[in-house]
Amino acid sequence: LLRPQDSVQWTLYLPDIFDIKGFAPCVGPEGECRQQADSLEKAYLQLTTGQVREGHAALLTLTGENPQFGPAWSALALSQLVQSNKSEALSSAQNGVKLSPDSATAQVVLSYAQQAGFNLDAALDAISRAIRIDPQNATAHLLKARLLFGRDEPEKAMRAVETARAIEPQNGEVYSLQGYLLLARNRTGEAIDAFNRAIKLTPSNGEPHLGLALAFMRQGRVEDALESITAAVLLEPQRSIFQSYWAKMLYQIKRFDHAQDLLDSAQELDPRDPTPFLYRAYILYDLNREIEALESLNTASRLNDNRAVYRSRYLL
């Protein structure tokens, strides 16, 4: 879970996007190459298990000692993204691509760095290059679908999701995103099926539980919706957007006090997100507190550009 200084929270699925086998082989003596690979794997394991500072320090050492080792630069870019160092991450990712030009994984990392800089067009270009290099890279197709969805191109996004599903039919992330695309098409029953499949495949992921809650609310199944959103929040308690949607559901059933408590929590978790301020404006308006509602709405509007990390600027 990333908490940048200039955007809303967003997530990187690190184990899914990095694979040393996706890079060009090391150039040098076999023993030296094996040592580099071992060092990279150890540093990356630290990064993906919460030891970010240790992993980052190890990657800095590795790139310093082996400046031509492209995979290390790409991994360093990820560690810099996790620490909200966007400009350094972009530079490292570009270095990784320069040193490993035929690596789909390096292009995926570059896409994330471009996304962090609010440049979704460049992020999509990098993902397209990754797919040209490796058409069977399901992660690249999935990221392409997310970016297209953020550009309000759901038909193209669905095609990308279907390609990813054909490559990796047991990938829960694919079904989760498919569920949201189906919700956007008002195909609620099919969306529920997709979310349930995602939950079965990746039970620790909160996003399909959130999607299921939204689908149930659309069908008027309030208790089922509240149960699903509770599961989402329990699985990922630091995700501000989950608490905002929980508050929205409570607002819809007129439980205003509890909804406002959740919006307080959402704002504390991610003060740059306009969503809790938007939903609070609805509640305050219904409570005939029009001045406060307008103030909250103005705050949401002021914060709106912070969503550019995952949504095209012309839609903001």
Side-chain angles (χ1 to χ4, degrees):
L1 180 64
L2 275 61
R3 296 182 174 87
Q5 297 300 310
D6 58 352
S7 76
V8 297
Q9 294 177 344
W10 62 297
T11 53
L12 289 177
Y13 297 96
L14 294 179
D16 294 334
I17 67 173
F18 193 87
D19 180 2
I20 191 171
K21 298 181 181 66
F23 287 93
C26 165
V27 178
E30 182 178 347
E32 183 179 325
C33 288
R34 185 65 259 171
Q35 184 177 6
Q36 290 178 17
D38 289 344
S39 297
L40 176 60
E41 289 175 2
K42 180 179 178 181
Y44 192 71
L45 180 62
Q46 291 175 315
L47 180 62
T48 57
T49 55
Q51 302 175 67
V52 176
R53 291 182 179 178
E54 294 85 348
H56 177 69
L59 289 166
L60 282 175
T61 299
L62 186 58
T63 52
E65 294 176 349
N66 307 276
Q68 300 303 309
F69 188 32
W73 285 102
S74 294
L76 178 63
L78 291 176
S79 75
Q80 290 163 333
L81 277 181
V82 172
Q83 297 179 92
S84 300
N85 297 324
K86 298 195 308 180
S87 59
E88 294 92 336
L90 179 59
S91 177
S92 296
Q94 289 170 333
N95 223 10
V97 167
K98 180 180 179 181
L99 293 168
S100 300
D102 296 325
S103 165
T105 306
Q107 295 287 352
V108 168
V109 174
L110 176 60
S111 178
Y112 267 129
Q114 298 282 15
Q115 188 175 342
F118 303 162
N119 193 342
L120 300 194
D121 290 337
L124 187 57
D125 287 343
I127 283 296
S128 297
R129 290 193 295 272
I131 292 171
R132 286 196 295 272
I133 293 169
D134 180 8
Q136 296 300 304
N137 190 315
T139 297
H141 288 286
L142 184 60
L143 293 177
K144 180 180 179 180
R146 291 184 183 277
L147 289 166
L148 288 169
F149 198 12
R151 289 161 56 99
D152 199 25
E153 299 183 62
E155 299 298 328
K156 292 181 180 179
M158 183 62 84
R159 288 197 292 272
V161 163
E162 289 170 350
T163 301
R165 185 180 62 180
I167 297 169
E168 289 189 6
Q170 300 303 310
N171 187 332
E173 295 292 335
V174 171
Y175 293 96
S176 181
L177 182 54
Q178 182 184 42
Y180 284 102
L181 286 164
L182 289 166
L183 273 185
R185 292 177 168 185
N186 290 316
R187 292 162 58 179
T188 306
E190 294 173 73
I192 289 173
D193 291 341
F195 289 132
N196 280 324
R197 183 72 183 273
I199 290 168
K200 183 178 179 180
L201 292 170
T202 53
S204 62
N205 185 359
E207 286 191 1
H209 289 278
L210 170 63
L212 201 56
L214 297 174
F216 285 150
M217 283 298 288
R218 186 174 291 182
Q219 292 183 334
R221 297 164 58 182
V222 175
E223 292 304 318
D224 290 335
L226 293 178
E227 182 177 340
S228 293
I229 191 64
T230 301
V233 172
L234 287 172
L235 286 167
E236 300 190 54
Q238 299 301 310
R239 292 284 292 273
S240 170
I241 194 68
F242 289 4
Q243 303 210 21
S244 289
Y245 273 110
W246 194 359
K248 182 183 179 184
M249 293 174 191
L250 293 174
Y251 158 71
Q252 289 178 285
I253 59 175
K254 309 300 182 184
R255 292 169 60 179
F256 295 150
D257 289 344
H258 192 188
Q260 294 212 70
D261 289 341
L262 285 168
L263 292 175
D264 288 340
S265 178
Q267 287 175 215
E268 185 175 345
L269 288 170
D270 191 1
R272 298 170 188 84
D273 187 358
T275 312
F277 294 96
L278 175 64
Y279 292 163
R280 190 185 300 279
Y282 294 142
I283 294 173
L284 292 170
Y285 185 79
D286 277 10
L287 294 174
N288 295 317
R289 294 160 60 180
E290 289 91 348
I291 301 300
E292 293 171 85
L294 182 59
E295 291 173 350
S296 190
L297 191 60
N298 284 336
T299 300
S301 180
R302 177 173 55 81
L303 293 172
N304 193 35
D305 274 358
N306 293 339
R307 299 167 63 202
V309 69
Y310 59 78
R311 187 159 188 179
S312 178
R313 283 195 177 277
Y314 80 89
L315 294 173
L316 293 175

